[in-house]
Amino acid sequence: MRSITGTWALVRLGLRLDRVRLLVWVLAVLGVVVVFASAVGELYPDEASRRQLGGSVAADPAFGALLGPLQDPRSVGGLVTWRMSFFQMVLVPLMALQTVTRHTRAEEEAGRLDLVGSTVVGHRAPLTAALIVAFGACSLIGAFVAAGLTVQGEAVAGAVALGAVYAGTGAMFAAIAAVTAQLASTARGATGLAGAVLGVAFLIRAVADGAGDDGPTWLRWLSPVGWSTEVQPFAGERWWVLGVMLALVVVGTAVAYLLVERRDTGSGLLPARLGAPEAAPWLASPLALAWRLQRGTLLGWTVGMVAVGLVYGFVAESVSDLIDDVAGAAAMLERMGGAEVLVDAFIATTMGVLAVIVSIYTVSALLRARTEETDLRAEPVLATRVTRSAWLAGHVAIAVVGSAWLLAVAGAGEGLAHGLRIGDLGQAPRLAGAALAQTPAVLVVAGSTVAVFGWLPRLLGLAWGALGAFLLLGQLGPVLQLDQWALNLSPFTHAPQVPAEPVAALPILALLAVAVALGAFGVVGFRRRDIG
């Protein structure tokens, strides 16, 4: 018991430090799920209308890869399970792994854990406290989701199963983050490793679900994210799958406890690579420094986006097969211009998805400037002849160019896979260009992030909140039948649907103008406020 002495004191400290952050997460997930369930119940009151809603979207391989299979189109709970699956598969796990890393490896990296460890605190107490906080937040989300759906009249068994899925998926990646926190020597490295596991797991599940029931659905069992869909809430619950998820939590936690005994505080089991004794001449600029700090992250994102593009390109040609059995479909497609029209419409949809994913990189890359500032590494640089504008411009340039690069390689990957299937490798540059057409919308996200960083650096969660709002407007706006003015608040609404439609200059110029204005506004704020 000595090894966990002081755990509850650290739990109270963690809850105090994260009281606002975790509360926002819990209320955001609960609010979105409950509001969506209520809206679906009102707008689609009978089984026939719900089947029509689910069938019109679930047959799209892009949504299959993104959201997984629609297992029960008859009930509101079944539609909520499917449409909100991105929360359970990505967002809640992200919250959990970041929470564990923040209270373990980040505290060590900042040197605060040394001070805590010098008191009457066991060497396993910080890890135990971090896991309790993360498990508690995930459990709270699961309990509230179950209670919210039950209050709205959904089946109790399905609601409880869905809540358990939310809690279980988050807990699995909290345990995985506990392991990566022992491996990496930095918080960024630990988060990157855990995030890479999440990305690979999501990609494997996307491959399994992208081709529908005829695809390699057995791949779901190779992915912890895929296990969440195998529980099947509201579609004949498979409770034993929750036992598989619990087993991963137990094993991951046990491995983390074993590893924490085998390393020194402040170090990781994976050796840190030493830098050169002297900096290269090309590093003597803010832009080069920003590139040096972020090149590893960009490389990892490049690999991931190419993989995502390949998945989408692989299933693109299969879209036309979805309506082979529909009477008159062939003649209708012929009048519209052939099956290529349907395939291009699918590709245009995937381009919007790629833009949202790349926007996550954009925000995280820009927030690296805030990390440099709060860790007191920006002040020595700004004490030289480097101006604030030049320093911030370096980080903005890497984020902007990196975002365009990721869109291009993802589009090229999709075009390569699609071209190999149809025997036309010219699809690679064609779809790379189509993906680049989404860049102005991503730049609006970048501009809003710079604006928040410049004026409200302590409220940078607003940047993630804005991206989440854009995502929800795009995903749920049409389903909830929101007014067009509400949909227009998202920059992704105005991005050209290439290659399904030609590029229009006016929306692109308008998005670029908004992005530049927001960015300039942020730079002005950064020049006026105090550092730190």
Side-chain angles (χ1 to χ4, degrees), residues 219-268:
L219 284 175
R220 294 177 193 154
W221 293 106
L222 300 180
S223 165
V225 172
W227 300 347
S228 65
T229 64
E230 291 297 326
V231 177
Q232 298 182 1
F234 300 100
E237 293 77 15
R238 303 166 73 181
W239 300 101
W240 62 269
V241 180
L242 295 174
V244 179
M245 300 169 72
L246 179 61
L248 178 57
V249 174
V250 173
V251 171
T253 303
V255 171
Y257 277 144
L258 290 174
L259 295 180
V260 78
E261 299 280 357
R262 288 165 169 75
R263 66 176 183 86
D264 295 329
T265 300
S267 64

Side-chain angles (χ1 to χ4, degrees), residues 347-383:
I347 292 174
T349 301
T350 65
M351 293 303 168
V353 175
L354 293 176
V356 173
I357 297 175
V358 170
S359 296
I360 298 175
Y361 161 80
T362 307
V363 175
S364 63
L366 290 169
L367 295 189
R368 181 60 191 265
R370 179 59 179 171
T371 301
E372 293 296 298
E373 183 183 357
T374 55
D375 288 348
L376 305 181
R377 291 189 290 267
E379 284 190 79
V381 176
L382 295 175

Side-chain angles (χ1 to χ4, degrees), residues 7 14 17 30 39 63 66 94 121 154 164 175 264 299 301 358 374 387 398 412 452:
T7 294
L17 293 175
L30 173 65
F63 282 94
L66 180 65
L94 275 177
V121 172
E154 297 306 306
D264 295 329
L299 176 61
W301 271 89
V358 170
T374 55
T387 65
I398 295 300
V452 175

Side-chain angles (χ1 to χ4, degrees), residues 126-505:
L127 176 59
T128 305
L131 287 172
I132 290 175
V133 172
F135 290 162
C138 295
S139 299
L140 201 59
I141 289 175
F144 281 172
V145 167
L149 292 177
T150 301
V151 168
Q152 296 201 35
E154 297 306 306
V156 175
V160 171
L162 182 58
V165 166
Y166 274 81
T169 310
M172 285 192 295
F173 282 92
I176 291 172
V179 175
T180 61
Q182 316 311 316
L183 298 176
S185 58
T186 65
R188 193 174 185 86
T191 302
L193 287 175
V197 174
L198 176 59
V200 171
F202 184 83
L203 182 61
I204 292 174
R205 185 217 53 80
V207 172
D209 295 327
D213 294 335
D214 297 331
T217 56
W218 57 271
L219 284 175
R220 294 177 193 154
W221 293 106
L222 300 180
S223 165
V225 172
W227 300 347
S228 65
T229 64
E230 291 297 326
V231 177
Q232 298 182 1
F234 300 100
E237 293 77 15
R238 303 166 73 181
W239 300 101
W240 62 269
V241 180
L242 295 174
V244 179
M245 300 169 72
L246 179 61
L248 178 57
V249 174
V250 173
V251 171
T253 303
V255 171
Y257 277 144
L258 290 174
L259 295 180
V260 78
E261 299 280 357
R262 288 165 169 75
R263 66 176 183 86
D264 295 329
T265 300
S267 64
L269 293 175
L270 298 178
R273 184 169 59 88
L274 297 178
E278 296 182 3
W282 64 270
L283 281 174
S285 71
L287 177 61
L289 176 60
W291 164 249
R292 177 65 178 82
L293 293 172
Q294 303 207 40
R295 63 184 182 183
T297 301
L298 182 59
L299 176 61
W301 271 89
T302 299
V303 175
M305 292 307 299
V306 170
V308 172
L310 290 173
V311 171
Y312 280 141
F314 177 76
V315 301
E317 185 61 20
S318 303
V319 175
S320 58
D321 298 336
L322 297 174
I323 59 173
D324 282 346
D325 298 330
V326 179
M332 180 186 67
L333 282 179
E334 188 65 29
R335 290 194 299 271
M336 294 173 58
E340 293 80 6
V341 173
L342 187 61
V343 174
D344 283 349
F346 164 78
I347 292 174
T349 301
T350 65
M351 293 303 168
V353 175
L354 293 176
V356 173
I357 297 175
V358 170
S359 296
I360 298 175
Y361 161 80
T362 307
V363 175
S364 63
L366 290 169
L367 295 189
R368 181 60 191 265
R370 179 59 179 171
T371 301
E372 293 296 298
E373 183 183 357
T374 55
D375 288 348
L376 305 181
R377 291 189 290 267
E379 284 190 79
V381 176
L382 295 175
T384 65
R385 292 180 296 175
V386 175
T387 65
R388 292 192 182 196
S389 299
W391 180 80
L392 180 58
H395 289 278
V396 172
I398 295 300
V400 169
V401 176
S403 300
W405 163 257
L406 292 177
L407 285 170
V409 297
E414 184 170 353
L416 177 63
H418 179 51
L420 289 174
R421 292 202 64 183
I422 66 174
D424 178 15
L425 294 182
Q427 293 293 323
R430 173 175 176 258
L431 297 193
L436 284 172
Q438 301 290 323
T439 304
V442 177
L443 294 186
V444 173
V445 176
S448 63
T449 304
V450 174
V452 175
F453 170 78
W455 291 95
L456 301 171
R458 298 183 184 277
L459 298 177
L460 283 175
L462 294 175
W464 292 113
L467 178 57
F470 297 153
L471 173 63
L472 292 177
L473 286 173
Q475 292 294 316
L476 305 183
V479 175
L480 301 181
Q481 299 180 7
L482 297 180
D483 293 335
Q484 188 60 42
W485 68 265
L487 299 178
N488 289 339
L489 295 176
S490 171
F492 302 107
T493 302
H494 307 281
Q497 299 298 306
V498 183
E501 62 182 35
V503 177

Side-chain angles (χ1 to χ4, degrees), residues 5-16:
T5 299
T7 294
W8 292 111
L10 292 179
V11 169
R12 292 193 296 271
L13 175 62
L15 291 175
R16 174 162 178 76

